[in-house]
Amino acid sequence: MCPKALVCDGNTAVSRVAHYLSDAAILFPITPSTPAGENYDVMVGKGERNVFGQVPALHQLQSEAGVSGGLHGALLGGALATTFTSSQGLLLMIPNMYKIAGEMLPITLHNPTRAIGQQAQSIYCDYSDAMAVRSTGWCMMASNTVQEAQDLAAICHLSAIKGSLPFFHMYDGFRTSHSISKIDELPKEVMKDLLDVDAVKRFRERAMNPEHPVNFGVVAGTGTLFQSMEALNPYFERMPDLVQDYMDEFAKRTGRQYHLFDYVGHPEAESVVILMGSSASAAEEAIEYLSKKGEKVGVVKVHLFRPFSTKHLLAAIPKTCRKVAVLDRMKELGAKEPMYLDVVEAHADAGISRKIYGGVYGLGGKEFTPQHVAAVFNNLKKDKPLNHFSVGVEDDVTFRSLPLPEQIDAVPPSTKQCMFWGVGADGTVGANKDAIKIIGTNTPLHCQGAFAYDAKKSGGVTVSHLRFGKDPIKSEYYITAADYVACHASVYMEKFDMVSSLKENGIFMINSSWTSPEDFEKHCPPKVLRELAEKNAKLYSLDAVKIAKEVGLGPRTNQPLQAVFFVLSKVLPAEQAISLQKAAIKKTYSSKGMDIVEKNWAAVDRATKEFIEIKYDRKKWLGLKDKPVEVDMTKPKFVREWMEPVAALKGDSLKVSEQPIWSWPMGTTKYEKRGLAKNVPQWNAKKCVQCGACSFHCPHAVIRPYLATKDELKDAPASFETVKARGKKLKGLQYRIQISPEDCTGCGVCIKACPADALSFTPFDEVREVQKANYKFANALPIRRELVDKFSLKGQQFQEPLLEFSGACPGCAESPYATLLTRLFGDRAVIATASGCSVVWAGTAGFQAFTPSQDRGCGPAFGNSLFEDNAEFCYGLWAATDQRRKFLAETCYNILEHPAAGSLSSDVTTALKQWMENFMDYELSKVYGDVLRGLLHTGIESLTKNGELRALMHEILAQEDMLSKQSHWAVGGDGWAYDIGFGGLDHVIASGKNVNFLVFDNNQYANTGGQKSKATPLGAVAKFASTGTRQKSKDLGAIAMSYGHVYVAQIAMGADPAQTIKAFKEAESYDGPSVIIACCPCINWGIRKGMGESQIEQKYCVETGLWPLYRFDPRRVAEGKNPLMIDNAEVKRPLEEQLARENRYLQLKRNDPESYKALVEQLKSDIEFKIAKLHKLAE
Ligand SMILES: Cc1ncc(C[n+]2csc(CCOP(=O)(O)OP(=O)(O)O)c2C)c(N)n1
Ligand code: SF4
Ligand code: SF4
Ligand code: SF4
C-alpha cells in the first residue's frame, strides 16, 4: 500500500503518535514543545481514539514539577502517560524522572531540544536540556528529521512498553519541531500492530490498586539500596537490542529502516563525524558533496543515546576510519562534552586505537551547514587537529574555533529555494505554511518550510525558508542561495541584507508602492541596487497594501503576496496554484463569513494582474556608488558595535571577545528605530486639552508631552508647534505633544484614548523626517517633572518614562502599567520579572527598554531569574537591600555612639542623624543620603582625625549606593502569579515583607501563545482548552486579601486611570507586601476591532462586572475603617456585549453554541457571586 503523505511539522507528527499510544497527556506549555500539546488537545477535542479505542485524556497542571508528579502518579495508577516539554520545563521534571526510571515505568516524554538559560535565555535549539537528564536513567532517542520524529516517537512508545523503561525522545527545537515537511504518515494500525499487548497488561497489573495492594516509594537503609540498583542492570542491558528489533519490525511494515547508529558515507571512510539531531542531515548532505570530490568521509547519526551501546556504535564505524570528530551540541562548562566522552570510552573499552576529537557547535540555535561540516573534516586532515574545538563562531579569546572554508552549496540544483521576509503577525508565515501544504499535498514534490523569528513579540522580523524539490530534502539549515526572495516590508530594504542570499538570475519581489527604477533609487541604499544588478536579479513590485486596503482586508497583505509568489516562482503551474490557493482561502476563512472569503479572492485576482516588473538599467545600477557612511559617534560603543549588527541580523559575525558577559546595558531600544508603523498619530494643538491620556495609555512610550519656555523654543524646528500650557503651575510654559515616529507601532491606542479628538493618523512616510527632527529637539528640552503632582493623570505625563520603545505587540496592555510604574518610582525601582511577555517586551539580549533617566542617570534595575521563582527572586533582592541598608544604619549609629563622636562637626552628626531617622522613607532617605554622601565626598580625612571613625565613614562610602531606599517590584503574568509561581508569591506575601507585586492578568499564558491559566474565564477558548474553559477562574485578590496584612488592588487603567495611579501610590507607600492585579487585554483575546481597542476593552471588562475595581488597604483598620474600598463593582452592561467583541468567546459560540450558552450563564452567576462577596466584605 502506498503510504499517505502528511505535510506537517515535527511537533504535529510527534503528538499524533503520542495521542494514539497513550491513555493520557499531562501538560504544561513551554516553547518549542507547546504546539505538540496543542495538537494533542485538538485531537482530543475532535474525539479521536487511541490504539486502545478510547479518547485519551488531557490534563494541564500548574508547572512541569506538577506535571512530572502527575505522570508518576498516572503511571503507578496503570495509565500509559505522556508529555511534551523542553529546557527549563524539563529541568523541573528531573526529580521525578529519577523515580520513574528507578521504578521502571514505561512512558515517553517528547522534548524538542532547547538551550537552558545560562549566560542568557534562548528559545532555540541545543542539547543542554537533553544532556541534563542523561543521568536520570531514562532511555534517550534522537530524531533528526520530521519523518524520524514521527517514526522514532512510535519506536520510543513501543519500546518503553515492551522493555518497561521510560523513554526521552529528543528532536531539534524549532528546526524539527516547527519546520514543515512532507512525510509518509505512520498509520495508527501499524502502531497497534506493533504494540506488545501482553506488556501493556503486565504494566496495568502492577499498578497501585486496593484490589491487589502493593507499596512503591520505600525508604531503604544502607544495607539494600545498592543491590536494588544493580538489580535493574538487565533491563538496561537488553534495551538496545530490543529497540533494534523494533526498528527492524518497523522497517518490515513501513520500508523505513533505522539503526541505533546509522552510518552514511564512503564504505572505506578515513574520517568520520559522529553527531545527532537535524545537523546529521546537513552532515549527510555535506558528505555526499565531499564524496563526489573524492574524499573518504562519513557520518554516524546517533539515534539511541541511552543506553549507550558501544557494540552498536563500533559496528557502525567503518574499520578503515582513523580519525573521528564527535560533535556535541552543548557546552559543559569546565568539563568535556558528554557524547565525546562516551565515544572515547567506547574505543578505550574495546581497545580500538583511533584519534578522537571533540567539538562543540550550534549552541542556542546557531546554524550548522555543510560549510561547518567541511571545516570539521579540514581539521581532521591536519597532522595535529585541534581538539575540543568549536565550529560556527570566531573565538578570539580562547582560540578554539575552526576556520571556515568557502560556503558550500550542497543543495541539489533541482531544489527550488524561496525566502520571504515578513513582519511578525502580518500573515506571511501563515501564508507560507499554507503554500507548503498546497504544494506538498497536490504535487509529488518534496517540501520543507522553516521559519526564523527574532525575539520580538508581533511586529518583529520573520524569515520563512521554503524548499521544494523532486528529491528528498536534507538541507536542515536556512537557505543560503535562494531562487526567489520576497520582501514584504519595504522599510527592510534599508535595514537588512536580503540580496546576498539571492542566486544569480534569481527573482526579487517587493511589497511596495514603487513602480519605477527611479522609485527604487530614491528609497533603497545604492549597495542593495548594485547587488541586485550584480546578481542580474529580476525585480518585481506589488502594492499589496493598496490592494488589501481597497478590497477591504485592512492591513492583511498575505494572500495577494502569496498569489504573486505562485505566479512568479513557477513551483506549480500558475493557474493550478491560484485555484488551489482560492480553495485554501475558502477553507480557512469561511467560518468568518463568505464576504471575507470573497475579499481575499478579489485581492488574489488583483495581485496576479497588478504586480509589475521593474526594468532597471543594469549598467547604471552596477555603477552606483555608496553614500559615505556616517557613524553617529554620539551613540554608545555597545550600540554601534554590538546592537546594530545584531539588529541587522548580522550577529553571527560578532566575535567571542565582543560579547558582554557580566551584565547588559540599559536603555538601548531607543537606538533601534524599527519604523514599524504605516501610519502615525498627528497632533492637533488646537483641540488638545492637555489631559495626558495619550502618553498614559501608549504601550510603547512613544507619545509624550513636552514643556518649554518661549526662550527655549527659539531654535525649534519650524513645524514644532506649541500651545500655552494649561494650569496655574505651568504658567509661562508652552506645551506640545510629540511622537517619536520611528518608534511608533501605529497601534492607534493613543488616538482612541484621546478625549478631545486631537490625534489622527497620518502616513508615516509623509511625516517621518519632520517628526524625527521635532522629536530630537523635544527630547533635548529640560525635564520639568516637579511642577504638577505626579500622582495624577495630568502630572504623570511630565514624569520621564523609564521604559520606552518596548518590543510588546502593538497595543499591548501590559507595558503601559510598567511604564507608569517607572514614571512614578523608576528612579528607585528594582524590578524582578517572571519569564513571560514582560521579560520579552522589556528586552531581549542587548535591546533593553528599561532605561536610566536622561538627566539623573538612575533608573529601574531589572532582572529575570526563572518563570517559577520570580517572587522568591524578588524577595532575595529585597533581603539583600534590607541587610545592606541596615548595615549602613548600624554604621551611622556606631559613629554617633563612638567615644570620639564629640569631635565631629555638627554638620556631620546632623547629617548622620537625619539620614538615620529617615532611612526608611523613599524620598527623605534620598534627600538626607545625598547630604551625607556630599559631606563624605568632601574628604573623610578632613572630617575626623580619629582612625576608627574614618574607617566607619569609609564603610558608608563603600556602599553609598544603598543610602536611598529602594522600591522592590515582582512583576509577571497570571501564568506566573496564579499558577507556577503562586507558591512563591503566597510565601512572600505571607512573610509580611515590603515586596510589591504587579500581576499582568491577561487571562492566559500569552508568551507561549495563549494557553489556559487559572485566570482564564469560563467559556473562553484558549490553547489547551480548545473546547472552552470549563472551570471558574481563581480569585487571586480574594486569596491575598484573606491574609489581612497585604495591600491588594484590582485595577484597569483603561477604565479608571485615577484609581490605577492611586493603587500604585498606596502599594508602594505601604510598608508590607502589596499585590496589584492589572487587567491586560491581549492580542490572544482576538479583539475584533484590533489591539487599538485594548484600553477600551478594559472598560468593557469593568462594566460587565468581569473585572471589579477595588483597593484593600490594611492601614485603614487602624483608623477604624473597613480596609476594602470598592471603586467599581457593578454590572452596568450586558456580558454578551463584551463577549461579542472577542474571538475567544465567539469561537465557542460558533463551534458549540449549547456549551457556549451554558458557560455564559455560569460565568454570569460567577460574576454575581464574586461581586456580592466583595460588597459583603466591604460592609
Ligand atoms: C519552568 C518553565 N516552564 C515553562 C516556561 C515557558 N513559559 C515562558 S513564559 C510562559 C507563560 C507566561 O505566562 P504568564 O505568566 O501569564 O505571562 P504572559 O506571557 O501572559 O505575560 C511559559 C509557559 C518557562 N519559561 N519555564
Ligand atoms: S500609535 Fe500606538 S505606539 Fe504610536 S504613539 Fe499612539 S499609542 Fe503609541
Ligand atoms: S490625549 Fe488628546 S487631549 Fe489629551 S494630551 Fe493627548 S492629545 Fe491632548
Ligand atoms: S501580553 Fe499579549 S499583547 Fe502583550 S506582548 Fe504579550 S502577547 Fe502581545
Side-chain angles (χ1 to χ4, degrees):
M1 195 177 69
C2 201
K4 191 174 152 206
L6 193 62
V7 181
C8 67
D9 63 19
N11 272 332
T12 310
V14 165
S15 62
R16 200 182 140 265
V17 170
H19 177 97
Y20 288 131
L21 286 170
S22 51
D23 298 313
I26 306 186
L27 301 178
F28 192 81
I30 184 161
T31 307
S33 70
T34 316
E38 289 168 3
N39 186 55
Y40 196 103
D41 176 33
V42 170
M43 290 179 78
V44 170
K46 284 185 186 159
E48 287 216 30
R49 293 180 183 275
N50 58 19
V51 294
F52 309 105
Q54 192 186 19
V55 178
L58 183 147
H59 305 275
Q60 183 183 344
L61 283 185
Q62 87 288 7
S63 71
E64 292 85 352
V67 166
S68 63
L71 291 170
H72 190 190
L75 292 163
L76 284 183
L80 289 166
T82 189
T83 194
F84 314 97
T85 193
S86 283
S87 187
Q88 312 297 143
L90 182 65
L91 294 193
L92 288 189
M93 295 193 182
I94 289 178
N96 256 305
M97 289 179 76
Y98 278 98
K99 297 219 72 168
I100 289 169
E103 290 166 3
M104 295 192 297
L105 295 167
I107 175 181
T108 297
L109 182 161
H110 300 280
N111 187 98
T113 45
R114 167 180 158 182
I116 284 175
Q118 289 181 280
Q119 226 291 318
Q121 278 197 60
S122 163
I123 53 170
Y124 296 104
C125 171
D126 67 39
Y127 304 153
S128 49
D129 60 355
M131 291 303 151
V133 301
R134 69 185 189 279
S135 57
T136 56
W138 283 46
C139 306
M140 295 174 73
M141 180 82 86
S143 291
N144 308 342
T145 62
V146 176
Q147 180 75 60
E148 289 185 12
Q150 171 197 253
D151 295 350
L152 297 183
I155 302 279
C156 286
H157 279 270
L158 296 165
S159 307
I161 293 167
K162 192 181 180 92
S164 198
L165 284 181
F167 264 72
F168 175 84
H169 176 217
M170 56 192 274
Y171 50 107
D172 285 10
F174 279 107
R175 169 47 63 188
T176 310
S177 63
H178 282 60
S179 72
I180 299 186
S181 277
K182 182 154 127 179
I183 62 171
D184 289 343
E185 185 183 277
L186 178 63
K188 182 175 158 187
E189 298 69 47
V190 172
M191 295 182 233
K192 194 170 178 182
D193 182 34
L194 287 169
L195 183 73
D196 183 339
V197 284
D198 292 336
V200 175
K201 192 161 173 281
R202 283 197 299 277
F203 160 68
R204 299 210 199 279
E205 279 170 0
R206 74 170 172 121
M208 288 170 69
N209 188 327
E211 300 274 322
H212 42 84
V214 283
N215 176 200
F216 286 94
V218 294
V219 178
T222 53
T224 59
L225 186 124
F226 195 163
Q227 299 90 309
S228 63
M229 289 300 285
E230 293 302 316
L232 306 183
N233 290 343
Y235 294 86
F236 290 87
E237 282 166 8
R238 71 178 191 173
M239 190 50 94
D241 285 325
L242 187 153
V243 173
Q244 189 56 59
D245 287 349
Y246 251 132
M247 287 175 162
D248 297 343
E249 286 302 313
F250 184 90
K252 283 183 202 152
R253 286 161 179 79
T254 64
R256 296 189 292 280
Q257 176 71 63
Y258 298 102
H259 298 95
L260 308 188
F261 299 91
D262 267 317
Y263 175 77
V264 180
H266 199 286
E268 290 172 359
E270 287 161 7
S271 302
V272 165
V273 293
I274 301 179
L275 75 179
M276 61 184 168
S278 64
S279 43
S281 301
E284 194 176 335
E285 203 181 58
I287 299 287
E288 282 166 16
Y289 176 91
L290 295 171
S291 301
K292 280 187 200 141
K293 294 190 170 263
E295 300 207 17
K296 291 187 171 178
V297 289
V299 54
V300 172
K301 304 190 286 184
V302 178
H303 289 309
L304 189 73
F305 178 65
R306 288 286 181 272
F308 194 82
S309 171
T310 304
K311 174 181 86 177
H312 289 88
L313 169 74
L314 295 176
I317 305 174
K319 298 266 172 303
T320 47
C321 172
R322 292 281 142 261
K323 288 180 184 171
V324 172
V326 186
L327 298 183
D328 275 279
R329 197 167 191 171
M330 62 94 65
K331 186 162 182 67
E332 195 151 317
L333 292 168
K336 306 283 183 288
E337 278 65 46
M339 200 157 74
Y340 165 76
L341 293 180
D342 285 332
V343 175
V344 169
E345 190 277 337
H347 281 78
D349 199 31
I352 297 174
S353 78
R354 278 192 189 117
K355 290 278 182 201
I356 299 166
Y357 302 90
V360 173
Y361 74 102
L363 302 192
K366 176 79 76 190
E367 279 285 272
F368 185 76
T369 68
Q371 181 191 25
H372 299 106
V373 182
V376 173
F377 282 117
N378 286 350
N379 182 45
L380 292 184
K381 272 185 215 157
K382 289 186 182 154
D383 290 341
K384 283 195 179 159
L386 192 59
N387 201 0
H388 310 302
F389 57 83
S390 60
V391 60
V393 289
E394 189 175 340
D395 177 0
D396 56 342
V397 174
T398 48
F399 304 98
R400 292 170 185 223
S401 56
L402 301 181
L404 292 185
E406 285 290 288
Q407 186 69 258
I408 290 177
D409 187 3
V411 182
S414 58
T415 302
K416 198 153 256 186
Q417 308 188 74
C418 311
M419 287 171 80
F420 301 78
W421 292 69
V423 181
D426 71 348
T428 298
V429 170
N432 285 323
K433 288 185 175 172
D434 286 346
I436 301 168
K437 285 192 182 139
I438 288 173
I439 294 168
T441 41
N442 292 288
T443 73
L445 291 177
H446 291 272
C447 53
Q448 179 201 60
F451 306 92
Y453 309 86
D454 68 7
K456 297 280 185 307
K457 305 304 295 181
S458 43
V461 188
T462 65
V463 190
S464 309
H465 299 253
L466 271 53
R467 291 189 176 99
F468 306 97
K470 59 182 175 48
D471 302 310
I473 296 166
K474 294 178 187 157
S475 322
E476 294 289 340
Y477 50 88
Y478 293 137
I479 293 171
T480 53
D483 299 276
Y484 182 94
V485 173
C487 164
H488 288 181
S490 54
V491 69
Y492 285 2
M493 294 299 268
E494 299 166 35
K495 291 179 174 276
F496 303 119
D497 171 13
M498 293 175 286
V499 184
S500 67
S501 44
L502 185 70
K503 273 185 192 165
E504 292 256 320
N505 306 316
I507 294 173
F508 193 92
M509 171 25 230
I510 180 166
N511 171 20
S512 75
S513 56
W514 310 332
T515 53
S516 65
E518 291 71 33
D519 285 343
F520 278 77
E521 286 159 24
K522 201 166 130 202
H523 291 104
C524 305
K527 180 175 178 291
V528 176
L529 303 183
R530 201 172 55 239
E531 276 187 15
L532 283 167
E534 278 163 8
K535 299 252 161 128
N536 195 26
K538 277 188 169 287
L539 183 59
Y540 295 89
S541 174
L542 173 80
D543 195 346
V545 176
K546 182 169 149 232
I547 294 178
K549 199 168 160 207
E550 287 176 3
V551 301
L553 285 177
R556 306 290 293 176
T557 52
N558 54 344
Q559 295 299 345
L561 289 166
Q562 195 185 349
V564 177
F565 161 68
F566 278 132
V567 175
L568 289 176
S569 68
K570 300 194 173 70
V571 180
L572 279 181
E575 247 177 55
Q576 184 195 358
I578 296 296
S579 80
L580 289 168
Q581 184 187 356
K582 286 187 172 174
I585 286 173
K586 191 167 175 200
K587 197 168 158 208
T588 312
Y589 300 117
S590 53
S591 62
K592 296 192 173 155
M594 260 328 265
D595 60 321
I596 304 280
V597 172
E598 276 158 16
K599 281 177 190 170
N600 277 288
W601 283 350
V604 166
D605 288 335
R606 279 189 56 181
T608 56
K609 291 182 204 110
E610 291 182 24
F611 72 89
I612 45 173
E613 182 173 1
I614 308 294
K615 300 255 187 218
Y616 56 91
D617 177 347
R618 188 164 179 230
K619 226 174 172 183
K620 180 179 174 196
W621 282 18
L622 280 172
L624 288 176
K625 295 271 174 299
D626 291 331
K627 292 185 191 137
V629 186
E630 280 175 37
V631 181
D632 181 354
M633 295 305 284
T634 61
K635 290 180 184 170
K637 189 169 179 283
F638 173 79
V639 171
R640 284 181 274 120
E641 295 179 5
W642 193 96
M643 191 180 155
E644 290 187 342
V646 172
L649 304 185
K650 299 263 180 207
D652 282 331
S653 62
L654 292 170
K655 296 180 188 152
V656 170
S657 64
E658 289 167 320
Q659 199 59 20
I661 49 171
W662 293 107
S663 58
W664 294 82
M666 308 285 288
T668 50
T669 49
K670 62 166 131 323
Y671 300 105
E672 244 188 314
K673 307 297 171 212
R674 294 198 286 160
L676 272 184
K678 298 212 166 53
N679 294 298
V680 294
Q682 178 89 344
W683 180 55
N684 184 331
K686 289 186 192 68
K687 288 185 175 176
C688 177
V689 295
Q690 303 181 15
C691 63
C694 50
S695 64
F696 183 68
H697 293 292
C698 173
H700 309 279
V702 163
I703 189 163
R704 302 179 195 175
Y706 290 88
L707 294 169
T709 61
K710 289 227 163 110
D711 207 34
E712 286 160 357
L713 291 170
K714 264 195 271 162
D715 299 326
S719 62
F720 198 85
E721 189 187 359
T722 59
V723 288
K724 224 163 116 186
R726 293 184 182 200
K728 264 195 230 146
K729 291 176 180 162
L730 303 179
K731 212 168 156 208
L733 292 169
Q734 293 293 110
Y735 180 96
R736 175 179 171 82
I737 288 287
Q738 178 62 51
I739 61 155
S740 170
E742 290 172 322
D743 295 303
C744 178
T745 63
C747 67
V749 163
C750 57
I751 296 178
K752 305 231 166 164
C754 177
D757 199 22
L759 297 169
S760 56
F761 269 139
T762 187
F764 171 72
D765 285 338
E766 283 174 20
V767 295
R768 177 182 185 174
E769 292 308 323
V770 173
Q771 294 304 347
K772 243 172 92 173
N774 286 343
Y775 174 70
K776 192 169 172 202
F777 179 80
N779 220 26
L781 289 168
I783 301 166
R784 293 187 161 89
R785 40 170 89 76
E786 311 80 14
L787 301 175
V788 188
D789 173 22
K790 69 178 176 181
F791 294 108
S792 66
L793 182 60
K794 181 151 177 105
Q796 61 75 35
Q797 66 180 320
F798 301 119
Q799 311 305 313
E800 217 183 345
L802 299 181
L803 169 71
E804 55 182 6
F805 318 137
S806 74
C809 299
C812 174
E814 289 190 352
S815 51
Y817 290 108
T819 307
L820 177 64
L821 195 165
T822 69
R823 280 193 155 113
L824 301 178
F825 323 117
D827 54 356
R828 55 179 182 244
V830 175
I831 302 178
T833 188
S835 305
C837 281
S838 53
V839 82
V840 179
W841 53 244
T844 52
F847 296 75
Q848 184 50 249
F850 282 103
T851 182
S853 155
Q854 278 193 58
D855 57 348
R856 293 172 166 173
C858 49
F862 171 79
N864 160 258
S865 173
L866 295 166
F867 187 24
E868 60 269 27
D869 70 355
N870 189 42
E872 298 91 324
F873 174 56
C874 193
Y875 183 89
L877 287 164
W878 169 86
T881 308
D882 190 58
Q883 189 71 0
R884 292 176 63 193
R885 296 192 77 244
K886 279 181 182 153
F887 176 78
L888 287 184
E890 275 171 29
T891 310
C892 289
Y893 178 84
N894 290 341
I895 295 174
L896 291 169
E897 291 297 307
H898 193 275
S903 66
L904 294 170
S905 75
S906 64
D907 282 357
V908 175
T909 51
T910 309
L912 288 164
K913 276 186 200 151
Q914 281 178 323
W915 181 79
M916 273 183 69
E917 280 159 17
N918 295 290
F919 93 104
M920 288 306 279
D921 184 292
Y922 291 115
E923 306 287 347
L924 296 180
S925 64
K926 177 162 173 46
V927 172
Y928 294 115
D930 284 349
V931 174
L932 181 56
R933 180 188 294 166
L935 271 174
L936 296 176
H937 273 281
T938 57
I940 289 173
E941 277 59 35
S942 70
L943 299 181
T944 174
K945 294 196 168 52
N946 183 291
E948 282 178 6
L949 285 179
R950 281 183 182 179
L952 288 170
M953 287 182 190
H954 276 291
E955 299 267 25
I956 298 178
L957 213 46
Q959 301 201 62
E960 60 176 319
D961 56 355
M962 303 304 286
L963 286 167
S964 302
K965 185 174 174 189
Q966 300 171 359
S967 174
H968 288 86
W969 291 85
V971 308
D974 46 279
W976 158 64
Y978 287 58
D979 293 357
I980 195 168
F982 175 70
L985 180 146
D986 180 56
H987 192 86
V988 176
I989 60 173
S991 75
K993 304 297 188 221
N994 192 357
V995 178
N996 304 295
F997 289 84
L998 172 58
V999 180
F1000 302 120
D1001 187 339
N1002 55 29
N1003 297 179
Q1004 21 91 25
Y1005 299 164
N1007 192 43
T1008 35
Q1011 295 76 28
K1012 183 170 79 70
S1013 79
K1014 286 202 283 294
T1016 311
L1018 270 165
V1021 168
K1023 308 266 176 67
F1024 291 0
S1026 58
T1027 52
T1029 303
R1030 308 281 160 147
Q1031 302 84 33
K1032 281 186 189 178
S1033 58
K1034 169 171 173 173
D1035 192 341
L1036 183 66
I1039 295 171
M1041 281 191 281
S1042 71
Y1043 276 108
H1045 67 263
V1046 182
Y1047 177 90
V1048 185
Q1050 193 154 287
I1051 62 170
M1053 71 191 301
D1056 190 342
Q1059 190 251 4
T1060 295
I1061 296 171
K1062 244 187 256 169
F1064 272 100
K1065 183 180 180 184
E1066 290 168 356
E1068 203 222 23
S1069 67
Y1070 178 58
D1071 188 17
S1074 309
V1075 180
I1076 297 181
I1077 311 164
C1079 176
C1080 296
C1082 166
I1083 199 166
N1084 295 314
W1085 290 20
I1087 300 171
R1088 285 168 69 80
K1089 291 192 174 172
M1091 283 301 280
E1093 300 250 329
S1094 61
Q1095 298 285 319
I1096 294 172
E1097 206 62 19
Q1098 297 179 35
K1099 280 193 189 145
Y1100 277 82
C1101 292
V1102 173
E1103 290 172 4
T1104 54
L1106 254 177
W1107 195 263
L1109 302 182
Y1110 60 84
R1111 287 165 297 131
F1112 179 96
D1113 190 340
R1115 282 169 292 200
R1116 284 166 56 90
V1117 177
E1119 298 167 19
K1121 294 180 185 158
N1122 189 316
L1124 179 60
M1125 294 162 280
I1126 295 185
D1127 297 310
N1128 196 341
E1130 252 179 86
V1131 177
K1132 293 187 187 136
R1133 188 191 275 277
L1135 181 63
E1136 286 79 356
E1137 279 188 26
Q1138 183 186 345
L1139 306 193
R1141 290 169 57 86
E1142 297 172 16
N1143 275 333
R1144 58 180 177 157
Y1145 298 106
L1146 292 178
Q1147 240 173 299
L1148 184 65
K1149 190 174 181 186
R1150 254 192 321 266
N1151 299 340
D1152 186 357
E1154 276 188 19
S1155 296
Y1156 170 79
K1157 226 170 125 198
L1159 287 168
V1160 171
E1161 287 313 309
Q1162 270 188 47
L1163 183 56
K1164 280 184 186 166
S1165 71
D1166 189 35
I1167 289 171
E1168 275 167 26
F1169 173 76
K1170 281 181 181 159
I1171 289 182
K1173 199 171 80 181
L1174 265 181
H1175 284 287
K1176 184 115 190 77
L1177 261 178
E1179 271 169 14

